[in-house]
Amino acid sequence: MKYFIALFLLITLSTTAQSVRISGTVKDDAGTPLELANVIATHSDTGEMESYAISNTAGKFQFNLPSGYNYSLVASFLGLAPTTRELNIEKDADDITLDFVLLPAENQLDDVEIVYEMPVVVRGDTIVYNTDSFTNGTEQKLGDILKKLPGVTVSDDGEIQVEGQTVSKVMIEGKDFFDGSSKLAVKNIPADALKKVEVLKNFNEIDQMRGLGNDQDNVAINLKLKEGKKNFWFGEIQGGLGDGEKTRYLGSTKLFYYSPKGSINVIGNTNNTGDVPFTFRDYLNFTGGFRNFNQRGGTSFNIADSGLSFLTTQNNRASEISTNFGAANFSYEASDAWDISGFALFSDNSTDFIQRSLRNYIATEATEVNTETSEQRNQLGMVKFSSIYKPNDKLQLDYDILAKKSEQSEMTDALSIFTDSGNVVTNPITEEKDNNPFSLNQNLNAYYTLDEKNIFAGFVQHLYQKEDPFYSATVQQQPFTQILPLDTNQSDFDINQDKMIETNKIDSKIDYYYVINDKSNLNLTLGTTLSRQNFNSNIFQILDNGSLNNFVGDSLNNDVTYKFSDVFVGAHYKFKTGIFTFTPGLTLHNYTVSSEQLGTETSESEFKLLPDLYAIAQFKQSESLRLDYQMTADYTDVNNFAEGYVFNNYNRMFRGNREIENAIFHSARLNYFNFNMFNFTNINGGLSYTKRIDAIKSQTAIDQINQASSPINSNFVDEVLSANGRFQKTFRKWKANLSGSVSYSELNNIVNAQPTLSQNFTQNYQGSVETNFKNAPNFEIGYNRSINNYENGGLERIFYTDRPFANVDVKFLNGFTFTADWSYYNYYDKDDTTQNEYSFIEAGLRYQKPESKWEFRLDGTNLLNVDSLNNDSFNETYSTTTEYFVQPRILMASIKYNL
């Protein structure tokens, strides 16, 4: 490894030798310094760009240029005529100072054209990146380009951040790409189709609503296509075969069409190489454009899932993964006033899990070694249609309908060996989980501007959801002897559970904005949330002869109707003074919670006044400090009210509590953002604090490894304090990255009638250096360290993971590109009872003749044939260390055709 690093340093140092610093100021004809003016340096003979700069608040700029060449320097600013200076830099030249004076432009169009060719242009709340200025031809997808842009980061899960803020929407030519999904965009949009990346800060799709609320946290990206990609189909088709303990295959299609009137996007993928375009976690998180309509209202009421805890992949890895995925998205401008759009998406994933876990139970000091093999299948689909009608500048009507359907199944064979007080018990287990959830979400919004002082907005959202989870466990050891009346005269215990949860939920509100002046407005809100849930469950035993042993009694059956109502009125006042913007608010709620179960009815109603505050200190256009405080009333759904027992796992049962009350959360966030275009430094960080009063927590009784839990309102206060920070700086073709995050929590629970305090302290730090040369090889080298410290009931466990990593991409000969990605993991604990070391290497070699549409590829994953990876977790009941087995080495040969 050290020889590779030395080679790269030698190459890169040779490319950066002997440069001259160019600095100066840009002013207008009145002598006023111009902030965000652009200065670009190109070679006089070839016109190739060498470097560029953007002036700061004092109009200063600076960059370095290699000596021994002639350059043309152009300074430009919107509304002013560009000025050109010719510069000859001798090989032994000293640093040079140049000042520019820009005069009023006679032809604004010419001015815009010159500015638009800059690598980075800042226009108010919009940053425009010219992609060709940052790419070298090795980029394959949008994500590869975004990672090279100053101030932009992309996570492994496809989340995009700009200057530390998460991008909420991705568009192409102003049209939503699958309702703004960043992951689908990052992984699928071809890099060679893109001309510009526009970052839209303070983003709001509704013209009437811009500037009324606090849009500082809303960031969108709009992608501009190259001229040859408009009004034509473009994309790629790929197919391949390979080997990895069995025949491996992949097939992929990505087709795109964009015109001024509409767009069509088609994505397809089938493979058994472990590449999952759309996971079940993505499905759960994918809102389809639906958002929390009353984020600052102070109420938290969420509909929970089935509670069956389906297995999920670790770092998108498992023992075996195969997938079939297809999606299509369209938009169409039906008229000047009416736009329609929609998408359909289907995914079929089959996953095999092999894992071995060690659990240490805190209260009983029992240990359990569990080895299990699972086969899981997730079939999911969603369809959405959207309509936007805007007959004039004063009125806009939006309608959306989204249907989601999935079929989940999981079969598990496990062997549980637990030790308690010196006794070793072996328990073979067979589990089956099935769930077929369906949901239909509809949304109707209306925005009306009466005049420049009075603006109205109305929102209505309806959710229908139905789940029918089925659970079955066959065990040899009799579980929950005090709860389940099992027939013990059987060869084993075949326990089953049927459950059904049906939800109808309506959210509606009306906002009225009175614009006092250009620095202040008043927002009045009237709204309601109404929810009704039906919950049914029953537990039964299947006997050896096939007959059913139906358990009777209120404790093992549920038939519950649960209703929740929130009627609220709120007021927010936004005002600016100097660099500060304040938005204090108060919301008065009337909450009603009622239930029907066990032949009785309960109902409670109460009023709550909940404050919130959002404040901004805008030091500069790209530097701000933001404070966000909210007091939230947290209400549960029917799952915590149903008092009959339900199974969550072979050794976990849960029953609700109709006496449960709401919790109160106090949350505060302080975030700092600073993106300095003068020296290309991006700094952002944040502090957050949450205090939970009367938190809804679990009261757990443990017998050996069997757990029976129910919710209670804790008399103790839970607290969570976390901090994060990121530093990123670009030095010409080099970029340095530093990031870190820490979190400390004190959480209280009750286990076996004894209060327990869980103290968790997690840390993650990472640093890396990367290059972005046009012709020389590019690489990134870095180091990541994570520390997880769990302390509960006097038991402390500390886990460490050290991960150095490196990646490289090299262009050579005429059309060849080699890429490689390496990560080394050293996972261990403080007590030296757990240790695992492994490395993952992925590499690819591709060839594409210049100007050819064909590309030939050889790819390898898990080249060192690693068997497994590790993970650790901790809760109030036990600590867990798990080993997950992963797919073997896979070698693939494929051919891609670019349309």
Side-chain angles (χ1 to χ4, degrees), residues 209 212-213 453-457 511-515 521-523:
M209 306 299 292
L212 296 178
K453 292 286 189 180
N454 300 278
I455 301 171
F456 296 86
D511 275 319
Y512 166 67
Y513 292 89
Y514 177 68
V515 180
N521 67 71
L522 178 66
N523 169 217

Side-chain angles (χ1 to χ4, degrees), residues 113-164:
E113 180 64 26
I114 291 175
V115 173
Y116 200 61
E117 293 176 354
M118 280 292 298
V120 183
V121 176
V122 181
R123 300 194 191 100
D125 290 331
T126 301
I127 304 175
V128 182
Y129 295 95
N130 178 22
T131 59
D132 287 343
S133 301
F134 301 93
T135 57
N136 60 8
T138 64
E139 301 80 13
Q140 295 281 289
K141 297 294 181 289
L142 169 64
D144 301 325
I145 292 179
L146 294 178
K147 291 176 183 178
K148 297 184 175 183
L149 303 182
V152 181
T153 59
V154 181
S155 72
D156 293 337
D157 293 329
E159 180 182 83
I160 307 169
Q161 285 196 339
V162 177
E163 303 173 23

Side-chain angles (χ1 to χ4, degrees), residues 36-258:
L36 302 178
N38 303 293
V39 182
I40 183 170
T42 60
H43 287 271
S44 299
D45 52 351
T46 65
E48 180 182 357
M49 186 193 73
E50 177 60 39
S51 190
Y52 69 97
I54 296 176
S55 62
N56 63 8
T57 54
K60 294 181 179 180
F61 72 92
Q62 66 179 33
F63 51 67
N64 293 327
L65 293 176
S67 60
Y69 298 95
N70 296 326
Y71 298 97
S72 293
L73 275 64
V74 179
S76 57
F77 188 82
L78 279 173
L80 300 177
T83 298
T84 302
R85 301 281 295 271
E86 300 297 328
L87 187 63
N88 178 24
I89 303 180
E90 302 292 340
K91 287 194 174 182
D92 56 351
D94 295 327
D95 292 344
I96 298 173
T97 300
L98 279 179
D99 295 327
F100 290 88
V101 176
L102 305 187
L103 303 176
E106 296 181 4
N107 190 331
Q108 180 68 30
L109 292 178
D110 291 343
D111 173 64
V112 172
E113 180 64 26
I114 291 175
V115 173
Y116 200 61
E117 293 176 354
M118 280 292 298
V120 183
V121 176
V122 181
R123 300 194 191 100
D125 290 331
T126 301
I127 304 175
V128 182
Y129 295 95
N130 178 22
T131 59
D132 287 343
S133 301
F134 301 93
T135 57
N136 60 8
T138 64
E139 301 80 13
Q140 295 281 289
K141 297 294 181 289
L142 169 64
D144 301 325
I145 292 179
L146 294 178
K147 291 176 183 178
K148 297 184 175 183
L149 303 182
V152 181
T153 59
V154 181
S155 72
D156 293 337
D157 293 329
E159 180 182 83
I160 307 169
Q161 285 196 339
V162 177
E163 303 173 23
Q165 295 178 266
T166 301
V167 171
S168 58
K169 183 180 287 290
V170 177
M171 300 175 287
I172 302 179
E173 296 290 341
K175 301 173 176 64
D176 286 0
F177 184 80
F178 286 94
D179 270 317
S181 168
S182 63
K183 178 176 181 177
L184 290 178
V186 163
K187 304 290 186 181
N188 292 283
I189 297 175
D192 60 1
L194 303 178
K195 181 180 181 181
K196 306 285 180 183
V197 175
E198 297 179 342
V199 174
L200 311 175
K201 297 190 289 185
N202 299 322
F203 178 73
N204 196 317
E205 294 179 277
I206 312 303
D207 293 339
Q208 296 101 311
M209 306 299 292
R210 289 175 185 164
L212 296 178
N214 294 297
D215 298 325
Q216 287 79 7
D217 294 330
N218 297 336
V219 180
I221 282 180
N222 181 46
L223 307 174
K224 306 294 288 187
L225 300 174
K226 295 178 179 178
E227 291 303 321
K229 304 299 182 180
K230 299 176 185 178
N231 295 309
F232 291 97
W233 283 95
F234 66 92
E236 62 187 43
I237 301 173
Q238 183 179 4
L241 289 173
D243 181 72
E245 295 187 355
K246 68 178 183 179
T247 300
R248 303 289 174 172
Y249 63 87
L250 69 88
S252 175
T253 300
K254 300 175 179 67
L255 299 174
F256 310 92
Y257 179 85
Y258 280 82

Side-chain angles (χ1 to χ4, degrees), residues 177-369:
F177 184 80
F178 286 94
D179 270 317
S181 168
S182 63
K183 178 176 181 177
L184 290 178
V186 163
K187 304 290 186 181
N188 292 283
I189 297 175
D192 60 1
L194 303 178
K195 181 180 181 181
K196 306 285 180 183
V197 175
E198 297 179 342
V199 174
L200 311 175
K201 297 190 289 185
N202 299 322
F203 178 73
N204 196 317
E205 294 179 277
I206 312 303
D207 293 339
Q208 296 101 311
M209 306 299 292
R210 289 175 185 164
L212 296 178
N214 294 297
D215 298 325
Q216 287 79 7
D217 294 330
N218 297 336
V219 180
I221 282 180
N222 181 46
L223 307 174
K224 306 294 288 187
L225 300 174
K226 295 178 179 178
E227 291 303 321
K229 304 299 182 180
K230 299 176 185 178
N231 295 309
F232 291 97
W233 283 95
F234 66 92
E236 62 187 43
I237 301 173
Q238 183 179 4
L241 289 173
D243 181 72
E245 295 187 355
K246 68 178 183 179
T247 300
R248 303 289 174 172
Y249 63 87
L250 69 88
S252 175
T253 300
K254 300 175 179 67
L255 299 174
F256 310 92
Y257 179 85
Y258 280 82
S259 73
K261 294 286 289 183
S263 66
I264 301 175
N265 305 294
V266 180
I267 301 172
N269 189 294
T270 179
N271 71 82
N272 64 350
T273 63
D275 179 20
V276 183
F278 199 76
T279 66
F280 188 69
R281 186 184 289 111
D282 296 329
Y283 172 81
L284 293 176
N285 294 333
F286 193 78
T287 64
F290 286 81
R291 299 289 184 266
N292 183 350
F293 85 116
N294 194 33
Q295 294 181 355
R296 304 201 65 80
T299 299
S300 174
F301 176 72
N302 298 310
I303 307 300
D305 62 13
S306 65
L308 287 185
S309 302
F310 284 83
L311 294 173
T312 57
T313 58
Q314 299 298 311
N315 298 325
N316 295 322
R317 299 181 187 272
S319 175
E320 191 64 46
I321 305 174
S322 61
T323 187
N324 296 288
F325 174 79
N329 168 222
F330 84 95
S331 66
Y332 179 65
E333 184 180 325
S335 69
D336 292 340
W338 187 29
D339 291 332
I340 59 174
S341 62
F343 69 81
L345 183 151
F346 172 77
S347 180
D348 184 358
N349 297 331
S350 296
T351 309
D352 294 346
F353 296 90
I354 301 176
Q355 58 188 42
R356 182 167 50 237
S357 60
L358 170 64
R359 288 185 184 138
N360 293 288
Y361 290 82
I362 299 164
T364 63
E365 297 185 352
T367 62
E368 179 187 19
V369 177

